[in-house]
Amino acid sequence: YEISLTEKRTKDAKLSEIESRFKELSTVAKLVSPKGLPHILLNEVLLLLESYTNRYLSFVGMSVVISGYSELKSLEEFCHNDGTKFNKNDTMCRTCGAIRENKVDENINIISKDSGVEWFRESSGGRALIALAIRLAIFKLAKTKKAEADFLILDEVFTNLDSENKSKALEMLRFAMTDLGLRQILLVSHDEVKDYTDHEVVISHENGRVEIK
């Protein structure tokens, strides 16, 4: 009897240790799941990105909403805690009892506040302006993390912009130079931009020769 009681105590202690370890692992699994720590950290970054983007878009009278990890209607196929595969009608995990949650869309969504559509469904000019503002906002995020850069190269950012929006985009860039602490912005463009910039370098190619003015 004493031996079996000792064995029982040993097994109980081992079972308690396993249960404690399982709870720790479950907590870690929740933290690293899409709805855990990544969700919290991403939301913090996206809030800043949205704020910076809209600061630049204010020069062209636009604004956006940026979000990530949106909940979908479909249900998860596996338990985030222990990886158990759910059956079709399961509402909770058969192993750990965790509630079966909806799947999460891990894509980052950018919606135009003005039109209510995704940014890539905007007009060609609208897409160009939003894309420019997001580039500047990402640069701003990098600067807040102590990234060292005092110049920016932008390729074909004026494509599909009329003269009025080109002028507004230039105002955005002038503000960005101060806001981002830039000494210089280099614009690569096939459009005529000499009326909008401080200096212009023209590179032409004709009859096998390259000429720089």
Side-chain angles (χ1 to χ4, degrees):
Y1 175 77
E2 290 181 358
I3 294 176
S4 62
L5 184 60
T6 301
E7 289 178 349
K8 182 178 184 304
R9 287 174 178 170
T10 301
K11 289 179 179 179
D12 286 345
K14 188 65 176 177
L15 180 60
S16 178
E17 181 184 343
I18 292 172
E19 288 176 344
S20 177
R21 184 61 176 162
F22 180 77
K23 287 180 180 178
E24 291 176 0
L25 292 175
S26 295
T27 301
V28 172
K30 289 177 181 178
L31 284 174
V32 299
S33 71
K35 292 184 178 180
L37 194 58
H39 185 214
I40 295 171
L41 295 176
L42 180 64
N43 275 344
E44 289 181 358
V45 171
L46 293 184
L47 284 173
L48 285 174
L49 183 64
E50 180 183 302
S51 175
Y52 296 151
T53 300
N54 286 332
R55 181 187 302 178
Y56 297 123
L57 283 176
S58 66
F59 286 88
V60 294
M62 298 179 70
S63 61
V64 295
V65 175
I66 302 178
S67 62
Y69 286 143
S70 302
E71 193 172 85
L72 301 173
K73 292 182 179 179
S74 55
L75 295 171
E76 290 286 0
E77 295 178 8
F78 298 91
C79 175
H80 283 308
N81 289 348
D82 56 29
T84 299
K85 183 176 177 59
F86 290 114
N87 292 326
K88 183 178 180 180
N89 297 320
D90 283 347
T91 58
M92 62 177 59
C93 178
R94 302 184 303 281
T95 304
C96 70
I99 295 174
R100 187 179 186 181
E101 298 180 329
N102 291 68
K103 286 183 177 180
V104 171
D105 179 4
E106 298 185 18
N107 293 315
I108 295 174
N109 301 303
I110 303 172
I111 307 296
S112 171
K113 275 188 178 181
D114 308 288
S115 61
V117 301
E118 293 173 292
W119 79 277
F120 57 83
R121 299 186 186 280
E122 273 279 1
S123 65
S124 55
R127 291 196 303 270
L129 292 170
I130 292 173
L132 173 58
I134 290 174
R135 292 179 199 175
L136 297 174
I138 292 173
F139 197 96
K140 176 74 172 178
L141 277 174
K143 295 282 282 190
T144 62
K145 300 300 180 182
K146 310 302 181 183
E148 296 184 8
D150 59 4
F151 72 95
L152 184 62
I153 301 174
L154 297 172
D155 186 19
E156 299 293 353
V157 294
F158 295 139
T159 302
N160 300 317
L161 295 183
D162 56 27
S163 58
E164 180 181 357
N165 279 324
K166 277 184 187 178
S167 180
K168 290 179 179 179
L170 258 297
E171 288 299 316
M172 184 195 302
L173 291 177
R174 290 190 181 97
F175 170 76
M177 286 197 70
T178 303
D179 190 45
L180 300 175
L182 301 175
R183 291 190 303 108
Q184 192 174 41
I185 295 178
L186 303 178
L187 298 173
V188 180
S189 178
H190 285 85
D191 293 334
E192 189 71 38
V193 295
K194 65 180 180 181
D195 294 333
Y196 304 95
T197 57
D198 298 325
H199 305 284
E200 182 183 50
V201 176
V202 179
I203 302 176
S204 57
H205 184 275
E206 189 174 354
N207 298 325
R209 298 181 59 185
V210 176
E211 185 176 356
I212 301 176
K213 296 182 181 179

